[in-house]
Amino acid sequence: MSALVTLPVLLPMLGAALTVLFSRSAFVQRLIGIVVLAVVSAVAAVLLVAADQGAPVVAELGGWPAPVGIVLVADRLAALLLLISTLVTLAVLLYAIDQRIADYGRETASTTFHPIFLLLSTGVSLAYLTGDLFTLFVAFEIMLAASYVLITRRTSATRIRSGMTYVIISLTSSLLFLTTIALVYAATGSVNLADLAERVGELPTGLQTVLALMTVVVFGIKAAMVPLHFWLPDSYPNAPAPVTALFAGLLTKVGIYALLRTQTLIFPLDGPSTLLLVIASLTMLIGALGALAQDDLNRLLSFLLVSHIGFMLFGLAVFDAAGIAGTALYVVHHITVQATLFLVSGLITRRTGTVSIDAMGGLAKTSPALAVLFAVPALTLAGIPPTSGFVAKLALLQAGAGAGLETSLVAGVVILASLLTLYAMVRVWVRVFWGAEKPPLTDPDPTDELIVGTARTAKPMYVATGALVAVSLTIAMVAGPLSAVTGRAGQDLFDRAPYQVAVLGEERTP
Amino acid sequence: MNTINMSMAVVVAVLYGVGFYLLLQRSLMRVLIGIVVLGHGANLLLQLAGGPPARAPILGSAPDEQIADPLPQALALTAIVITFALTTYLLALGYRSWVLVGHDEVQDDIEDRRIAHRRAPEASMGEEAGSDDMSEDEDDPGSAAASGDPVEPSVTSGPAGSGRGVGR
């Protein structure tokens, strides 16, 4: 069983190497990508069942036991997020392949896209599974290096500016992460997460606070929490739709996951964290208000993404088992719905030839399929019952209401931000799907990767997007069992002991 | 808990200071050098986290207590490779930016430009027509590319990005 844990990291990496070897054949490349991601999804599902029914599955790399060697750990949270992330990655890959076929024909192979895409998946899997702070850094670097290439690929003058912002911000946060690791190692002499959980507790309180704050800043930049969010609405919207969908779905959530893992395991708190509550409220409000001011559909969605990062931070800030469980459920829901919305935005842009909401209109009449594809995830994001967004928000609100006065106040902000999200979505709906029909614009720059205003939108692209909508609806349907799993995952994280026992063995844990 | 000596602490502090100062510069080349210097600072700190210098960490070559902690060295080595690779990528990106845009300045983001446009008509009514055109350009992703960086030149060298190194 423990060998299975290495597969979600190894398979995409091998797949990336193979796609380089077969860079002449578009068909083989696509086949490798799809097969690898499908197998990883299956492995993740097996890991989830194993972790949920028994203990976390641990693999000691090279046979070195923790805390000396590097361990990969699949506990409930890691396996669950791995499963949903890989499913979303697979759907985005299908969309990207369909888009490529629609734009360039069946035979044109892409030398860089598939290897880089699979490497990104490697980095994401490794970030979820690793039980070691330095390997987490390496995972982030694999993921980010791949994302640098994806965001600046075949770039134009505008996109290189946003790509540049993204690369520089990410590099800076990585260097801060490295600094944090150095300080943690100097203070404790270990980088193993389970080992750190014990050793950091023995440090002076001031030092603990400094280290905790540094991790919050580092992962806060990656997760785009206010006031460290400014790079996101500027860089994400300029990438091609599948790339933006993947980034919006996965990269920020990996930051949230790292925050969840480090804060619960290494820097546990006794009660709600006032700092995180304030940050969460600001993130929710600034993101939602920023979205209302946008005319560019992708920028609007990016601001909503920032806003919903605040929801996840809120669950963490409550800092009890229910709050952490709520965050876990929200991450699962949000990975799916945000990726879907960006894919739909890509479809809309292809059809209308513009990202400006003002220049669109009457799409409900000309393209009813698009209207359905947009309406479902939009309502899900806003949290209308019975969608998965409602279930996830309810979990957060219940956690917030049960943990005292200040969290109840922030729970009010959650409701306000949800209403603002709904308003932003209704605004998009009224302007884009209702009203007078407007003719599609022509592609202003046909040479770059963004092909817009074309009738060549292939049916399979709708199918891939529809598949993601179906995943989102499935989450709503299995909400009962799913929230039971996230509930247990939250309890695990809050207790800390299951993780430590799994990694270090019985005798080393108090 | 390992502490480091004063001179090393000063070196690391200076490297971080210089690195962050350069990061805040407008020129991409300086930003890049800032990242390199900052990377050096972080790697040095990682090395120092292993404690005072000691013998090479080869088992049996020296008594155990005289051997340096090998883990930070391994970590620093990994980190050096990663920062090196990403610096190379950033260099390539900087060159690409220079080819496409004609200068290596990090430009204002869209939001900043919009705010600047909003203020511009109040300051000088004459430029209003020009800035309206540009804000329309920004609505679609492709043609915003053509206008490049509309704010900077109007601040420094009068209206519109005239002769901004397109032929360079």
Side-chain angles (χ1 to χ4, degrees):
Chain A
M1 184 56 90
S2 73
L4 270 186
V5 189
T6 57
L7 287 183
V9 181
L10 283 182
L11 283 179
M13 206 184 270
L14 285 175
L18 281 177
T19 47
V20 173
L21 278 182
F22 291 98
S23 59
R24 294 270 178 90
S25 162
F27 174 74
V28 178
Q29 273 194 330
R30 286 164 191 160
L31 189 69
I32 292 172
I34 293 170
V35 167
V36 162
L37 289 177
V39 172
V40 172
S41 310
V43 170
V46 173
L47 285 176
L48 178 59
V49 172
D52 192 39
Q53 289 178 345
V57 189
V58 180
E60 292 167 344
L61 300 189
W64 291 89
V68 179
I70 296 171
V71 285
L72 296 183
V73 190
D75 65 349
R76 289 189 178 103
L77 179 69
L80 180 64
L81 294 188
L82 183 65
L83 175 61
I84 194 72
S85 298
T86 319
L87 285 177
V88 169
T89 315
L90 182 58
V92 172
L93 179 66
L94 289 174
Y95 180 98
I97 290 174
D98 297 333
Q99 184 177 344
R100 176 120 188 136
I101 291 176
D103 291 343
Y104 297 99
R106 197 163 283 278
E107 297 307 320
T108 347
S110 158
T111 40
T112 51
F113 180 77
H114 287 274
I116 300 296
F117 194 88
L118 286 175
L119 275 182
L120 186 83
S121 173
T122 311
V124 172
S125 303
L126 186 59
Y128 285 143
L129 292 176
T130 182
D132 173 305
L133 203 56
F134 192 77
T135 314
L136 185 62
F137 167 75
V138 175
F140 266 115
E141 287 315 299
I142 296 175
M143 188 177 90
L144 291 174
S147 72
Y148 301 156
V149 181
L150 285 179
I151 209 169
T152 54
R153 220 171 132 256
R154 297 221 189 159
T155 188
S156 64
T158 358
R159 283 179 48 209
I160 200 151
R161 184 192 61 76
S162 56
M164 201 73 89
T165 318
Y166 176 72
V167 174
I168 291 169
I169 296 279
S170 304
L171 268 177
T172 312
S173 85
S174 296
L175 290 173
L176 281 177
F177 191 7
L178 207 53
T179 312
T180 314
I181 293 175
L183 294 179
V184 166
Y185 189 83
T188 61
S190 176
V191 285
N192 183 288
L193 291 177
D195 196 27
L196 282 178
E198 277 171 63
R199 297 204 192 187
V200 169
E202 295 158 6
L203 295 176
T205 326
L207 191 55
Q208 284 190 38
T209 314
V210 169
L211 295 178
L213 275 180
M214 289 214 50
T215 51
V216 169
V217 170
V218 167
F219 299 129
I221 297 178
K222 314 236 187 230
M225 72 183 193
V226 171
L228 305 167
H229 69 291
F230 44 84
W231 56 271
L232 190 143
D234 192 42
S235 56
Y236 278 16
N238 286 305
V243 173
T244 316
L246 194 65
F247 285 13
L250 299 187
L251 298 195
T252 46
K253 305 315 176 311
V254 177
I256 289 285
Y257 169 80
L259 259 182
L260 260 183
R261 184 63 83 196
T262 53
Q263 299 306 304
T264 54
L265 193 60
I266 308 180
F267 309 106
L269 296 171
D270 295 328
S273 153
T274 314
L275 173 74
L276 279 177
L277 281 177
V278 171
I279 291 177
S281 318
L282 284 177
T283 309
M284 285 186 269
L285 288 180
I286 291 180
L289 292 175
L292 294 181
Q294 299 306 315
D295 177 53
D296 177 332
L297 183 56
N298 283 328
R299 283 179 67 83
L300 185 147
L301 290 176
S302 302
F303 270 102
L304 284 181
L305 168 61
V306 172
S307 167
H308 286 243
I309 291 296
F311 288 69
M312 295 169 229
L313 286 175
F314 169 61
L316 177 61
V318 172
F319 223 97
D320 58 9
I324 297 165
T327 298
L329 188 58
Y330 205 90
V331 172
V332 172
H333 138 74
H334 197 254
I335 285 179
T336 328
V337 71
Q338 194 73 44
T340 319
L341 277 173
F342 272 108
L343 289 186
V344 176
S345 157
L347 290 175
I348 294 176
T349 310
R350 282 176 75 89
R351 187 150 188 113
T352 58
T354 174
V355 287
S356 164
I357 295 172
D358 281 338
M360 303 178 193
L363 267 185
K365 219 175 278 173
T366 52
S367 178
L370 210 48
V372 173
L373 283 182
F374 178 81
V376 176
L379 293 177
T380 309
L381 190 69
I384 305 294
T387 59
S388 60
F390 172 71
V391 181
K393 269 177 195 141
L394 189 64
L396 283 178
L397 288 176
Q398 278 174 338
L405 180 65
E406 47 179 1
T407 55
S408 308
L409 283 177
V410 183
V413 180
V414 169
I415 297 175
L416 182 62
S418 304
L419 289 176
L420 287 173
T421 306
L422 182 62
Y423 175 60
M425 281 308 176
V426 169
R427 188 169 150 264
V428 173
W429 177 264
V430 170
R431 297 229 192 144
V432 174
F433 290 94
W434 285 352
E437 286 174 35
K438 291 182 184 164
L441 304 176
T442 48
D443 194 344
D445 186 3
T447 52
D448 67 358
E449 190 88 328
L450 271 96
I451 294 186
V452 292
T454 168
R456 284 176 296 164
T457 309
K459 283 234 169 54
M461 288 167 72
Y462 285 91
V463 175
T465 317
L468 264 187
V469 173
V471 170
S472 175
L473 291 177
T474 313
I475 292 177
M477 274 190 277
V478 297
L482 185 67
S483 53
V485 173
T486 54
R488 288 192 289 270
Q491 192 64 46
D492 281 357
L493 285 183
F494 187 64
D495 289 344
R496 308 203 292 155
Y499 190 90
Q500 286 176 286
V501 170
V503 174
L504 298 174
E506 289 287 348
E507 69 278 6
R508 287 239 8 233
T509 34
Chain B
M1 200 188 301
N2 287 318
T3 47
I4 61 179
N5 66 41
M6 198 59 204
S7 56
M8 277 309 179
V10 169
V11 171
V12 170
V14 167
L15 283 175
Y16 272 83
V18 171
F20 276 115
Y21 176 76
L22 287 174
L23 261 186
L24 298 176
Q25 299 295 302
R26 209 53 199 230
S27 151
L28 194 59
M29 218 44 228
R30 292 186 182 197
V31 171
L32 208 149
I33 294 171
I35 287 203
V36 172
V37 173
L38 200 56
H40 289 340
N43 285 324
L44 187 59
L45 188 65
L46 204 51
Q47 280 283 336
L48 295 172
R55 305 286 291 275
I58 300 170
L59 206 60
S61 67
D64 279 0
E65 61 274 13
Q66 287 178 20
I67 289 180
D69 185 351
L71 188 65
Q73 302 183 7
L75 302 187
L77 198 58
T78 316
I80 288 170
V81 174
I82 291 174
T83 21
F84 172 69
L86 292 181
T87 309
T88 321
Y89 188 74
L90 203 56
L91 262 175
L93 208 57
Y95 177 70
R96 185 94 185 112
S97 162
W98 186 77
V99 167
L100 281 173
V101 189
H103 57 93
D104 80 331
E105 236 162 58
V106 179
Q107 297 152 25
D108 291 325
D109 69 8
I110 299 174
E111 228 46 53
D112 286 350
R113 275 187 258 169
R114 244 182 230 159
I115 293 167
H117 282 305
R118 209 168 278 178
R119 281 195 193 140
E122 294 164 19
S124 58
M125 297 301 283
E127 283 181 355
E128 196 173 2
S131 55
D132 272 354
D133 282 355
M134 280 164 195
S135 59
E136 268 168 35
D137 276 355
E138 278 163 17
D139 288 340
D140 41 39
S143 61
S147 60
D149 179 4
V151 173
E152 266 303 292
S154 64
V155 173
T156 54
S157 64
S162 53
R164 183 155 259 271
V166 178
R168 258 189 269 165

